[in-house]
Amino acid sequence: MTATAVVTGASSGIGAATARGLAARGYDVVLVARRADRVERLAAELVGAGHRARARALDVTDRAAVDAFAAELDSCDVLVNNAGGAVGTETVAEADPADWRAMYEVNVLGVLHLTQALLPLLVAGGAGTVLVVGSVAGHVVYEGGGGYAAAKHGAHALAATLRLELCGQPVRVLEIAPGMVKTDEFSLNRMRGDADAAEAVYAGVPDPLTAEDVADAVVWAVTRPQHVNIDLMVLRPRAQAAQHKVYRVAPEQG
């Protein structure tokens, strides 16, 4: 029987790249995201390439919708909790609590909703895997990142706690924590659509991580032998030694 992998946030970036990677490894991939047109187009691409894929429009913060989605599945062997994101770079003193709430709901409660809803299937399959795409922000804080760091710390705590609670059950709990990744939407969304501000995040940085780099790590972790648990993998580009230590090439002087 073909193993089924559910990937959230599959409409773009790391989620879409992960879906492609898992499909290429033979998984029946269920693409989950709010934007139906995006996941339907990706599912069609994968099916056209000879893979197995299905699209499902879903908001991971809507528990009733998540439960209805879970009820439609006959099986689930892998859950990649990738849906997430950051909003704003304001200081703690100036941040809008609504932004913090939105980040917590998608980065933490979204993971909780999908994990709770699909856990019975993951256990029943006898070899389940729950993977959380976290962030280095879930381990080290930085100025202007309070809300995002708090949310990703929450996602890390959820994964670590779940691993303890499932000890002895046939389900692995993995976490991949990327550093600086340049995708089409992450920084653009964080900067509220300001393309110049979003591009400035990566200015002068040689070779930041790509969505495919992170997806490669996700697929590798998921496809290890079932007795191997990748508790935590931190990925950074070589140019990023730490949150506050990033090598940037100075622009040429005219």
Side-chain angles (χ1 to χ4, degrees):
M1 180 181 295
T2 302
T4 299
V6 173
V7 181
T8 70
S11 59
S12 64
I14 295 170
T18 296
R20 290 188 176 97
L22 289 174
R25 293 299 293 266
Y27 285 86
D28 178 4
V29 182
V30 184
L31 311 170
V32 173
R34 291 176 299 172
R35 295 176 292 188
D37 58 330
R38 293 280 191 100
V39 286
E40 288 170 359
R41 186 159 59 246
L42 178 55
E45 170 197 316
L46 294 175
V47 170
H51 305 308
R52 300 186 63 173
R54 294 170 276 166
R56 181 67 160 82
L58 179 68
D59 182 345
V60 299
T61 68
D62 184 339
R63 184 52 185 262
V66 169
D67 287 341
F69 163 70
E72 297 173 359
L73 295 179
D74 295 324
S75 65
C76 180
D77 302 284
V78 174
L79 168 60
V80 178
N81 284 300
N82 169 72
V87 182
T89 57
E90 291 80 9
T91 63
V92 171
E94 298 176 342
D96 184 344
D99 290 338
W100 283 48
R101 184 175 299 109
M103 286 186 279
Y104 188 85
E105 286 182 350
V106 67
N107 289 287
V108 183
L109 294 184
V111 174
L112 179 65
H113 292 328
L114 265 295
T115 302
Q116 286 183 333
L118 295 178
L119 195 55
L121 292 175
L122 289 158
V123 172
T129 298
V130 177
L131 187 144
V132 176
V133 178
S135 169
V136 293
H139 304 270
V140 181
V141 300
Y142 55 96
E143 299 95 332
Y148 183 60
K152 285 302 187 183
H153 271 73
H156 169 66
L158 187 160
T161 304
L162 182 65
R163 188 178 302 116
L164 294 174
E165 294 171 347
L166 291 178
C167 186
Q169 296 293 314
V171 179
R172 302 180 296 177
V173 181
L174 289 57
E175 179 184 354
I176 304 295
M180 181 179 283
V181 184
K182 186 175 184 180
T183 63
D184 292 337
E185 297 187 336
F186 179 84
S187 287
L188 186 63
N189 290 336
R190 184 170 203 172
M191 299 302 178
R192 308 180 196 279
D194 186 333
D196 291 337
E199 191 61 30
V201 172
Y202 311 100
V205 179
D207 300 319
L209 296 179
T210 66
E212 289 72 24
D213 292 329
V214 181
D216 183 54
V218 171
V219 173
W220 178 85
V222 165
T223 55
R224 293 312 85 204
Q226 192 62 26
H227 70 284
V228 178
N229 199 102
I230 308 301
D231 286 15
L232 172 64
M233 182 190 296
V234 176
L235 305 178
R236 300 181 193 269
R238 186 176 62 193
Q240 185 186 32
Q243 259 86 327
H244 291 83
K245 184 69 172 180
V246 179
Y247 174 70
R248 297 177 188 271
V249 178
E252 295 183 5
Q253 300 296 318

